[in-house]
């Protein structure tokens, strides 16, 4: 983390570049609070992901009959 630009600036916050990934090397940056607040998953995206996972689960259950 200390190799990233902004790590020592108390005004900046740690943020994930890709919100669908974890806090892992290559996916971390330091940004302003307003940038951090705008970098969030959208409800529609999460709902679509849930529908996709539900469909995959149904296919696995019915595929094993």
């Amino acid at each position: 983390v200390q190799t990233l630009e902004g790590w020592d600036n108390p005004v900046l916050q740690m943020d994930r570049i890709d919100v669908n990934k974890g806090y892992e090397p290559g996916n971390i940056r330091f940004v302003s609070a307003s940038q951090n607040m705008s970098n969030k998953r959208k409800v529609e995206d999460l709902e679509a992901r849930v529908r996709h996972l539900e469909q995959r689960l149904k296919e696995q259950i019915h595929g094993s009959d």
Side-chain angles (χ1 to χ4, degrees):
V1 171
Q2 292 179 339
T3 61
L4 298 174
E5 185 177 333
W7 74 270
D8 57 345
N9 185 339
V11 174
L12 299 180
Q13 300 177 352
M14 186 183 293
D15 182 44
R16 293 176 294 162
I17 297 167
D18 182 343
V19 296
N20 295 309
K21 294 183 179 179
Y23 289 91
E24 55 194 43
N27 197 42
I28 299 171
R29 63 183 175 181
F30 288 88
V31 297
S32 68
S34 62
Q35 285 176 299
N36 198 359
M37 291 299 294
S38 68
N39 189 26
K40 294 187 178 233
R41 295 180 196 166
K42 295 186 174 103
V43 171
E44 299 83 22
D45 295 341
L46 293 173
E47 289 172 342
R49 177 96 173 118
V50 167
R51 285 191 301 275
H52 173 75
L53 292 172
E54 287 173 338
Q55 183 60 37
R56 284 185 55 199
L57 182 59
K58 286 178 187 177
E59 290 170 1
Q60 287 180 358
I61 290 171
H62 295 296
S64 63
D65 290 344

